[in-house]
Amino acid sequence: MSLTASTMLPLGTKAPDFHLPEVVSGKATSLSTFADKKALLVMFICRHCPFVKHVEKELAQLGKDYFTSDLAIVAISANDAKNYPDDAPDSLQAFVAELGFNFTLCYDESQETAKAYTAACTPDFFVFDSDRQLVYRGQLDDSRPSNGKPVTGADLRAAIEAVLASKPVTSEQKPSVGCNIKWKPGNQPSYFG
């Protein structure tokens, strides 16, 4: 495991499109899938990472809390499933069932979507407004597996609430921190390392 922080993609960046299979249904998913929603949360997560395990219940709660709102949520796992079988699509299906995720979880086998978003760690969060411009990238909250602080989702929730209320999101944003995305051998992006 390599402790890695978000790349902090520039605010205002347009959401890169993607075409990925949803792990439970196999249904093709892209930005247009969520076109009717005012805001979009894109999360890069996986199953095996201790940083994701630390916040997984809050991720499930986010899905429940915003299920009837104007926020769309899509989670993407891009880890190399050959070397990290816990992050393979069939294992991710079980992950969805165990935690009761009610949002879309896709698998990025080529890792091209992760690169397009400059995703670096798990978890890594990106919030886009109605124009699909980036308004937040950074941490869920100040909690980490070893610091004893409660998992509240405060930072991410504040950004979501601002977007849904058509208010500006604070530009003071702290990077997310977690395990590095497990790139396939020879597939590491230029921003890794």
Side-chain angles (χ1 to χ4, degrees):
M1 176 188 87
S2 172
L3 187 63
T4 303
S6 301
T7 61
M8 302 303 274
L9 188 65
L11 295 174
T13 298
K14 203 85 162 137
D17 201 2
F18 54 86
H19 299 275
L20 299 171
E22 197 273 325
V23 298
V24 175
S25 67
K27 188 173 124 186
T29 305
S30 67
L31 278 185
S32 64
T33 306
F34 312 103
D36 62 329
K37 296 290 189 171
K38 181 175 186 175
L40 173 65
L41 167 61
V42 179
M43 308 186 284
F44 287 85
I45 64 172
C46 67
R47 188 175 188 190
H48 88 277
C49 169
F51 286 84
V52 175
K53 286 181 180 293
H54 179 67
V55 301
E56 63 190 11
K57 288 186 176 68
E58 174 61 18
L59 301 182
Q61 191 60 49
L62 272 168
K64 292 177 179 76
D65 291 349
Y66 290 100
F67 187 67
T68 59
S69 76
D70 215 7
L71 173 73
I73 301 174
V74 59
I76 298 170
S77 180
N79 280 358
D80 174 9
K82 182 178 177 187
N83 290 308
Y84 297 87
D86 277 357
D87 299 330
D90 57 343
S91 179
L92 294 173
Q93 281 183 11
F95 186 44
V96 168
E98 285 164 19
L99 286 158
F101 287 163
N102 62 2
F103 48 79
T104 301
L105 174 56
C106 296
Y107 182 60
D108 178 17
E109 184 173 10
S110 72
Q111 304 183 316
E112 291 307 310
T113 300
K115 288 179 180 181
Y117 281 78
T118 67
C121 56
T122 53
D124 212 348
F125 303 97
F126 302 82
V127 178
F128 297 89
D129 65 14
S130 58
D131 296 323
R132 296 302 181 252
Q133 292 189 318
L134 185 66
V135 293
Y136 181 82
R137 73 288 191 251
Q139 67 178 14
L140 180 71
D141 57 34
D142 288 326
S143 183
R144 303 289 183 264
S146 60
N147 71 7
K149 293 183 179 180
V151 178
T152 63
D155 294 50
L156 182 59
R157 285 175 178 269
I160 290 167
E161 289 297 327
V163 175
L164 292 177
S166 300
K167 293 182 176 170
V169 177
T170 178
S171 59
E172 289 183 34
Q173 302 175 8
K174 298 176 189 172
S176 187
V177 176
C179 302
N180 64 289
I181 287 180
K182 305 308 183 207
W183 304 103
K184 293 177 181 180
N187 201 35
Q188 298 90 338
S190 59
Y191 59 82
F192 176 69

